[in-house]
Amino acid sequence: MAAAGGSPSIVEYFGGEDGYRCGYCKNETGNLSHGMWAHSMTVQDYQDLIDRGWRRSGKYVYKPIMNQTCCPQYTIRCQALRFQTSKSHKKVLKKMLKFISKGDVLKVVSEEEPMDSHIEDAVACDFAYKSESHVSQSELTLLSVDHTEGVENEDKDTGETKEEVKVQKVESSSLQIHADKDTPVLGEPSRSAKMVHAPPKPGKGADLSKPPCRKAKDIRKERKLQKLLQNQTCTSEGSSLQAGDQVLLLQNSKSKTNQPKTIEDFVFVSLPDDAPHKLEVRLVPVSFEDPQFKSSFNQSATLFAKYQMAIHKDTPSECGENEFTRFLCDSPLEAENAPTGPECGYGSFHQQYWLDGKIIAVGVIDILPYCVSSVYLYYDPDYSFLSLGVYSALREIAFTRQLHEKAPDLCFYYMGFYIHSCPKMRYKGQYRPSDLLCPETYIWTPIEQCLPLLERSKYCRFNQDLEAVDEGRITELGRVKILHKRTMMPYSVYKKRRKGPSDEAIVQQYASLVGQTCSERMLLFRS
């Protein structure tokens, strides 16, 4: 992966794909999406794209045609800073802790949540290979800045302002991650969509507006303590506790029993010296220039093949080294470091789970300005009893919180797509609190408000303000950035230079899907 140097994203748009096989309902031609090949992409551009419903598989970036596809796929994010473990999540964490510390665990896969890859939507992305770009690298290499400046004044007689037709220079400074103070942070809900947590209906989950339920065991402990204190006050003055001490003891008892355990309480615990197993989680940049990535590549690729054949029934030719590289190692994201960003930087990474010196699972993740985005997970089927799908998701939420300490804007965990029409994919909604992205206005809406709508119709507009529109919609097509004959130019200039039939319809479609901001930053390759 190339280091960040301020170079812009370069994409090649393919338009709407023909229907292909759906990995969820198995419809042979029902899965419909728009797609583009990302030759390179900044982390900020990808963050803005996933906040408009896009997602990547390798270097292919796609957006489901939500009102036409057989199984609508809604972008889902978990509010990592407010996340609370459920009973089933705690069971998984305790099981791993028991296995590492005592080596003693019942080797039966739990049925409470799917133990498969928690980001399964990427499995069905063989369409990425059909749409692979065949443009040579030389065609994507920009000419000198002096050459691009030559087209600046081409449109002087059109009546457009200089700003509308100006060809941008290739900047050498790194991407600005933080928006101006007055600019709303992308990825956050707009003021019109307040994060209101309505009490769920019976059987629909915990009511987040109320304090967490207390265990009967904790209540019994507290009663016993109160009784003990009462008895002590009746004893001689010399041995009785002072009133202040009694209150403090009660308060401490209450605070401990009322406070639910976090993921960190289970994960970051000191283990006995004689623990039978050792689990280590390593974050490795996806780069063949990185020694750790390079040295673990063969073991990682072998594990991927083992997982794909056992879990997804792939043939050996469908999960070889080339497929592994193209799917999970080739990333368009440019690695980047920012002063206020995480120490590991932004970009694509493999989070490797090493048990007793060997890799048993790998979580493929993208670290972006406002989130950790989970791409895929593969693991050793021999360790299915450890519920590695759920365990890795919880570790990634904890990792997001850890990154937030150094990068305050990074506070969400994106889990890919939520597919309500596919019951086995609904488990993603159990990581609360979480939000779904409105497919029309791109506003985040609490999942509790979305579920009743999805029960009535598989395609829904979540934003109930009927007057609301997509605030990031394309308004000025002439400002869309084009890469043509190795020269960067606005669409208004390219349109005059182009020979042959007009391609305005395809450029308009592209710009409407990526939005005005990205269309002015990213370069759309046109031959």
Side-chain angles (χ1 to χ4, degrees), residues 54-79:
W54 291 83
R55 181 159 168 73
R56 79 175 184 87
S57 171
K59 288 191 170 187
Y60 186 76
V61 188
Y62 63 102
K63 184 182 194 302
I65 305 175
M66 297 291 281
N67 58 354
Q68 294 178 34
T69 193
C70 54
C71 296
Q73 301 160 60
Y74 299 91
T75 303
I76 182 170
R77 72 176 188 185
C78 171
Q79 296 180 40

Side-chain angles (χ1 to χ4, degrees), residues 124-141:
C125 291
D126 58 330
F127 59 86
Y129 309 142
K130 291 187 278 185
S131 307
E132 190 167 350
S133 171
H134 298 291
V135 175
S136 68
Q137 188 58 43
S138 61
E139 291 178 83
L140 301 170
T141 307

Side-chain angles (χ1 to χ4, degrees), residues 65 111-112 124 170 252 281 369 401 409 415 421 473 477 514:
I65 305 175
E111 295 299 325
E112 289 167 3
V170 182
N252 288 342
V281 180
R401 304 208 285 216
D409 287 344
M415 295 178 281
S421 56
R473 67 192 181 283
L477 192 63
V514 303

Side-chain angles (χ1 to χ4, degrees), residues 143-156 162 165-170 484 486-490 493-494 497:
L143 294 173
S144 67
V145 171
D146 293 339
H147 182 86
T148 62
E149 282 181 326
V151 297
E152 262 193 45
N153 299 319
E154 278 192 21
D155 262 10
K156 274 188 176 176
K162 187 177 178 183
V165 297
K166 184 179 176 185
V167 177
Q168 288 190 348
K169 296 180 181 180
V170 182
H484 178 59
R486 299 177 61 194
T487 306
M488 192 190 323
M489 63 187 74
V493 172
Y494 162 78
R497 287 186 166 198

Side-chain angles (χ1 to χ4, degrees), residues 272-309:
D273 294 334
D274 60 347
H277 298 292
K278 183 187 176 185
L279 179 69
E280 184 187 353
V281 180
R282 297 179 193 169
L283 184 71
V284 181
V286 178
S287 167
F288 284 98
E289 293 172 11
D290 182 84
Q292 274 191 305
F293 181 81
K294 200 173 177 181
S295 64
S296 62
F297 177 82
N298 288 339
Q299 190 182 162
S300 197
T302 303
L303 178 61
F304 170 76
K306 183 179 181 180
Y307 169 81
Q308 290 295 122
M309 288 189 284

